[in-house]
Amino acid sequence: MRWLVGWSSTTAGPVAFESAGAMGGEGETVHPVGSQLLWGDPDPLWAVGDWRPDEVRVVKVDDHTRIAVLGVCGASDEQLRVGLFAARGGALRHLTNWPGSYTAVVQVGRRVMVIGDLAGARPVFYTPWAGGTAYATAALPLADLIEANLDVGHLAALLATPDVPEALHDSTPYQGVRRIPPGHALILRAGAREIAGYEAVASLAVGAGPVDPDTAVSGVRDALVDAVRTRLAAPRHVPGTDLDPGPV
């Protein structure tokens, strides 16, 4: 198992965030068990689990302006830097356009933006905690953090209407842990929380303009080819050795 864990508070003090229900002493800075610190206080970010080095990238302009990308991403460091500058002005949609499968987190001063993907294939979860907001790419560590009870309503809706995601809305199996809807981003400003959509939504009352089928199919094909090429270009790792046999 592996996930991304972050925290944003209303103050600039140290964070107490260790493991399931465990809290550090007052004034003590602790971290999730088995984690790699990507950047520190006052809004720290960790990669937890068996991430490979090529799957964790951080590009920064300075200590308060940086972007972390976790997963397989086809963008170069220069493209990430350009994307960071655009995100600093509030533009987030382009951060989802690079080929691959990844989660992006942008920090600009005390503003942190966690970008969920359009399909919800790489979900982002959050929960209020200790006067701020904790977020992660898995719901379970957040549920452990706040010692959450099971959300019976969510489980009932999942059993009754498994093919209707709208019935679940942004709930999770754990009370107090919410999920960012697809096409949205979690924006934290010194702990204050906002869920903002970055994908334009067309009105159902207005018919969409005609789209050339060949152009649409070509666009989907090109996106799939770019994604597969990015995946195959990533290093391959043989367990128990330092050999990299290359793309398979």
Side-chain angles (χ1 to χ4, degrees), residues 2-6 51 103 114 122-125 135-139 141-142:
R2 56 187 184 177
W3 49 76
L4 182 71
V5 177
W51 294 94
T103 301
V114 190
R122 298 184 69 93
V124 177
F125 304 89
Y135 59 90
T137 53
L142 297 182

Side-chain angles (χ1 to χ4, degrees), residues 236-246:
R236 296 295 186 270
H237 300 267
V238 179
T241 73
D242 295 327
L243 298 179
D244 178 5

Side-chain angles (χ1 to χ4, degrees), residues 13-239:
V15 59
F17 191 141
E18 191 168 73
S19 61
M23 299 282 287
E26 184 176 355
E28 178 187 2
T29 300
V30 294
H31 54 81
V33 173
S35 65
Q36 170 189 350
L37 182 66
L38 302 185
W39 59 65
D41 293 335
D43 302 303
L45 181 68
W46 299 274
V48 183
D50 58 347
W51 294 94
R52 298 197 301 261
D54 54 284
E55 294 178 316
V56 180
R57 300 166 62 193
V58 178
V59 173
K60 68 178 185 178
V61 176
D62 53 52
D63 289 339
H64 304 286
T65 307
R66 46 201 171 186
I67 180 172
V69 176
L70 282 86
V72 178
C73 179
S76 64
D77 285 354
E78 182 58 30
Q79 288 175 311
L80 292 180
R81 190 171 289 105
V82 171
L84 173 58
F85 284 125
R88 186 168 60 178
L92 301 177
R93 175 65 175 86
H94 64 286
L95 298 180
T96 68
N97 287 341
W98 298 312
S101 178
Y102 56 87
T103 301
V105 182
V106 173
Q107 182 187 48
V108 179
R110 290 302 311 277
R111 180 162 55 108
V112 176
M113 294 162 280
V114 190
I115 294 83
D117 65 356
L118 292 172
R122 298 184 69 93
V124 177
F125 304 89
Y126 66 93
T127 185
W129 181 68
T133 299
Y135 59 90
T137 53
L140 182 58
L142 297 182
D144 286 343
L145 178 69
I146 64 173
E147 299 182 341
N149 294 319
L150 290 177
D151 188 333
V152 178
H154 172 92
L155 298 175
L158 185 62
L159 290 173
T161 56
D163 299 324
V164 185
E166 291 79 8
L168 303 177
H169 192 46
D170 64 345
S171 66
T172 71
Y174 311 104
Q175 292 181 359
V177 179
R178 317 302 290 183
R179 176 174 177 164
I180 300 175
H184 287 68
L186 173 65
I187 301 177
L188 305 171
R189 294 179 176 86
R193 183 173 57 254
E194 175 189 359
I195 308 298
Y198 59 77
E199 177 72 1
V201 179
S203 172
L204 296 177
V206 180
V211 177
D212 177 58
D214 292 338
T215 301
V217 171
S218 177
V220 173
R221 182 180 62 246
D222 291 344
L224 289 173
V225 169
D226 287 343
V228 171
R229 283 176 175 166
T230 299
R231 186 71 174 181
L232 292 178
R236 296 295 186 270
H237 300 267
V238 179

